[in-house]
Every structure is written in C-alpha cells, then in structure tokens.
Amino acid sequence: MPGPPRDPEYGEPLTPPVLLASLLGDRELGLRHLAGPANAGVHGVHASEMPDPSPYLLGGELLLTAGAGPADDPDGYVARLAGAGAAALGFGVAPVHEEVPAALAEACARHGLPLLEVPPRTPFSAVARAVGRLMAEARTRELRRVTEAQQALAAAAARPDPVPAVLARLAATLGGSVALWPGGRAAGPELPAPAWEALSALLARVGREGGPATATDRAGGHHLAAYALAGRAALGTATPARAPGDHTVASVAAVLLTLLTAERPAGAEAAALTRLLLGGDPAGALATDGPWYAVHARGSGDPQALAAALGTVLLDPQLPDPHEGGVRLLTDREPEAQPGWRLGVSAPAAPAGLATADAQAGRALRRAEAARTPLARHTESGLAGLVGAAEARAHAESLLGPLSPALRETLRGWLAHHGNWDRTATALGVHRNTVRQRITRAAELLGRDLDDPDVRMELWFALRVAGG
C-alpha cells in the first residue's frame, strides 16, 4: 500500500507526520471526528472533487472534498482512497451537503479511513496551512532533537570510558537497545529472542569483509539496523519505533565509535572529523595544506559510501541550513559526479579558506539543483567578484523582499531554465500553469519586466547572493 515519502533504505518517513489529534485540537479549524480511527498521521493535504482522486495521491494525505466526488459510490470512493494510502478524509459541509452523508461515514468506518467534518466557516486552505505549520513545527523539533543528540554523543565520546558512554547515550536517545559487535557490549533493555537473533545476523552481515555498509530488518516487534565500523566491527540498534532523525543519530554514533575502536585511528583526519562534529574549525587538524574541496551533497544514497567514493572520512551528516536535507564533506581529491547524488563543489582552498569554501559549495549545490545537473562547481562571476558580499546581500534582500520563498524558488528555477515553462515545471515538480501563475505574480510584486535581459541578469545575481 502506498504511504508517505519514506527513506528508501530504512523505510521510515522522511518528515514527522501531523497527528489528527493536533488538527482536531485546533479550535479555530473546528474539525470534528466522525468515523474511522483517530490516530492517523498526516503528511500532506490534497483537495479534489474527482470521483477517483487516488491516482494523484502519494500516500499519507488528508484528502478534502465538498462531496461531489463520493456522491454516487461512497463505498467504492473510500475503498480507493484507503487503497492509495490516504491518511484521512475531510468532508466540507455546504454548499453541496448540509451534513456528512451517513453512507460515507459507514464506508469510512468499514474501510478504516478516518473521516473529519470540516465546518462551513473553515476554508480548505486554512486546513492546508494548519497542516503545513504543524509539519514545520514537527521538523523543527526533530532537527533540535538530532542536534542535541549529536552534542550529547560527542560529549559522551569525551568521557574517560567513551565506548560504553556513547552506547548508553545512543540507547537513551533512540529509546531502544544498541549493541557493539564483536565483544557483546550493549546498552538498553534486553531484547526478545527473535529480535536479538535477527540483530546478531545483521551485525555479522555488515561486519564481514565485503559486506554492506548498513542493513535493516524487523523482528520481535522491533526495527533493527546495523552499521559497519572499522576493522570488521559493527553497531546494531533495535527500537520499537523509528523517528525520521534516528538514522542520522545512529550514523553519528557509528562514526564516533569507528574513531574510538579502530586499531589504527585516522590521526589528523579523525581529529578534523571530530572537530566538525563538535562544530569547531577543522583547519588546524588537517595534515596537509591541500588543496581541499568542500562538497555539499543531497541525494538518496548512503552518505558514508559517498565519502568513500570521494576518498575522504571527513563527513558531516547535515548541511548547515536546518531546512535542507543532505551532507557536507571535505576532500583533498577533486570530486567527480556520483550516482544518486547532486553535488556542489567549492573552488580548491587552503585550510584557512575552508569557511569560504563551505559557502561556495552551498551555492554550487543550489545551482546544481536548479539546473538538474549531477555536479556544479563554484565559479566566481565578474559581478560577484566586484561587489562586496555584505553590499550584494543587502541589495539582493531589498530587491527580492516582496517575494515569498516559493516565488523565489520558482523564479530561480525559471531563470536557470531560460524561461522554459515545461523544464521549470519538471524541475520543481509542479504543473506548468503553476509556474506561469507564480512568475506572473513575481513580476507584479517586483514591478519589473521579466522579458528584459538586464532585469533577468540582476534577479539571477540577487537570487544567488540571497540563496534563492
């Protein structure tokens, strides 16, 4: 059955869901639960009056309707939604119906699909905005949890007996059990036999020569994961449930345990990585003057495999911008494109210039994504070299101030594709008419003629400086 967007390897949702209880508790919305379970998680909102909107659902949506869609066949309508993985159905009373049809409520109860009544005074857009706000709050909480977990793991690694301290902290953060193989060191509650046997098999699998870097399974009511460490060692985790940030937290612990347990520590590189994790400056710990390349990457692959392909262990599991998923790396090899990733690569830099290189890599990644290319390298344009950074940013923010983030993103993509509506729509994952509407609105707010090449040049420069 389809469901919300999930991590391709670990099967967990990429973002925390919004619980129906949170929506029902919003008095301004005035929603009322009528049928089906009340404990579903919502990952998005979609409104449709089609008799069968299921082909347009990814899964996890709260589908909103005024009643035209399910009018003729309530049971078939609900069955199709449930089969498509919809999280819930919101029925707006008035203008089509004065109350929710009993047949629809019965169908929702029969197929286990939550049914909510949306009162006449509540626009569907208000429900969508509430879900968006709650999802943003959930992402912020999860990012804060991951950041605090990283800091706590780094602090545990600095204790006199670091390995048990890191394992204990990881178990407490994940709310489950962890184990280090071989050696039998563990932390957290004792696992049921089926879960322990399955986890032991995973640990042996990733720990052998030529084995995978990571592996997952489910057994004994637990989500299991194993991470390869140095010297054929492995870290295993077992949790009753998985949160979106658990993989990142466990990956940080795996890196720290690799540094703590490897027979031949990575020396200066390990010190640099530890300083990156602690938020410090790695320049003083690098063994050579370089040149070094900062890399920002976003994709669906294994970050540690990406680091290995780029010839480095200097991996930070998060980009500096908390609203962007991805990783950043440092390497002394000139990076090439990697399958499954989009890369932004800085200009070659000495250790003292790594902060500038990090910013260059971020801008290059945004350019790679706008142009849908696997790799973009930093190239300093003449204008960027002539205008001071602070002055350029002030001008960019003044120029782009009337535009919302969505309008900025659309304008950046449209300019990157030289005004081509279809390619811009494909890159952004929206309909071409949406692109036209947004560009028209941007032109109105800016009071500029977007067909003027001078205007386009100025806007492109402003978007680059302001980060799009």
Side-chain angles (χ1 to χ4, degrees):
M1 178 184 295
R6 293 178 178 270
D7 184 294
E9 183 173 4
Y10 292 89
E12 62 192 43
L14 293 174
T15 57
V18 172
L19 299 180
L20 285 184
S22 299
L23 291 174
L24 293 169
D26 189 329
R27 295 184 177 180
E28 291 187 5
L29 295 179
L31 305 180
R32 191 161 64 97
H33 177 242
L34 298 182
N39 57 352
V42 175
H43 287 267
V45 176
H46 183 69
S48 175
E49 300 303 325
M50 298 178 65
D52 182 14
S54 60
Y56 303 94
L57 301 181
L58 295 174
E61 294 93 348
L62 167 61
L63 180 70
L64 301 175
T65 179
D72 296 331
D73 181 18
D75 188 78
Y77 179 84
V78 172
R80 290 188 291 271
L81 292 184
L89 175 63
F91 192 96
V93 292
V96 181
H97 296 270
E98 293 184 359
E99 61 181 16
V100 179
L104 183 65
E106 292 169 1
C108 286
R110 188 161 46 248
H111 292 283
L113 182 68
L115 175 62
L116 309 181
E117 179 188 83
V118 183
R121 63 177 176 80
T122 301
F124 284 178
S125 60
V127 179
R129 287 180 181 178
V131 170
R133 173 178 54 80
L134 291 170
M135 288 188 71
E137 292 174 357
R139 284 194 295 269
T140 299
R141 287 194 299 270
E142 188 61 28
L143 286 169
R144 185 180 299 115
R145 169 182 171 262
V146 169
T147 300
E148 292 173 352
Q150 290 176 329
Q151 294 171 346
L153 287 168
R159 294 174 66 89
D161 197 0
V163 172
V166 169
L167 291 175
R169 173 45 54 190
L170 179 61
T173 299
L174 299 182
S177 304
V178 301
L180 193 61
W181 182 91
R185 285 178 286 188
E190 183 176 350
L191 291 175
W196 175 246
E197 292 171 3
L199 183 60
S200 298
L202 285 185
L203 290 168
R205 181 182 169 199
V206 302
R208 70 170 182 260
E209 185 174 0
T214 58
T216 62
D217 198 0
R218 293 189 185 186
H222 284 71
H223 297 256
L224 311 175
Y227 303 79
L229 307 181
R232 301 188 184 181
L235 167 68
T237 67
T239 56
R242 285 186 70 88
D246 284 357
H247 174 51
T248 299
V249 172
S251 296
V252 171
V255 171
L256 290 170
L257 289 168
T258 293
L259 300 178
L260 295 169
T261 61
E263 294 181 5
R264 292 184 176 86
E269 288 187 340
L273 177 57
T274 303
R275 293 189 186 189
L276 274 175
L277 291 171
L278 292 171
D281 177 10
L286 295 175
T288 69
D289 291 335
W292 293 89
Y293 297 87
V295 180
H296 284 207
R298 188 178 291 108
S300 58
D302 179 6
Q304 296 198 22
L306 173 64
L310 296 179
T312 183
V313 298
L314 302 180
L315 168 68
D316 187 2
Q318 265 189 313
L319 293 180
D321 186 339
H323 299 294
E324 297 183 359
V327 298
R328 61 176 175 170
L329 310 94
L330 282 175
T331 179
D332 58 355
R333 300 183 189 176
E334 185 168 358
E336 300 295 338
Q338 300 296 324
W341 293 90
R342 291 198 193 280
L343 305 182
V345 180
S346 74
L354 289 181
T356 299
D358 188 42
Q360 292 174 352
R363 293 195 295 270
L365 176 58
R366 290 192 290 272
R367 194 167 72 251
E369 293 187 313
R372 296 179 66 83
T373 183
L375 182 146
R377 302 183 189 277
H378 171 75
T379 54
E380 193 68 77
S381 66
L383 284 175
L386 291 172
V387 182
E391 184 180 358
R393 181 171 292 276
H395 171 73
E397 291 299 336
S398 174
L399 176 62
L400 301 172
L403 302 186
S404 67
L407 290 179
R408 291 191 187 192
E409 180 187 18
T410 303
L411 180 59
R412 177 160 53 92
W414 185 72
L415 291 172
H417 291 92
H418 309 292
N420 186 290
W421 305 107
D422 291 324
R423 284 191 292 161
T424 305
T426 300
L428 296 176
V430 300
H431 195 277
R432 60 175 291 162
N433 288 342
T434 301
V435 176
R436 287 183 179 275
Q437 292 166 3
R438 290 180 180 177
I439 294 301
T440 300
R441 180 58 176 160
E444 293 173 352
L445 292 172
L446 293 171
R448 301 291 184 99
D449 179 7
L450 298 188
D451 291 328
D452 186 331
D454 289 336
V455 171
R456 291 193 183 192
M457 179 188 68
E458 184 180 11
L459 288 172
W460 179 253
F461 177 70
L463 288 164
R464 285 191 59 197
V465 171

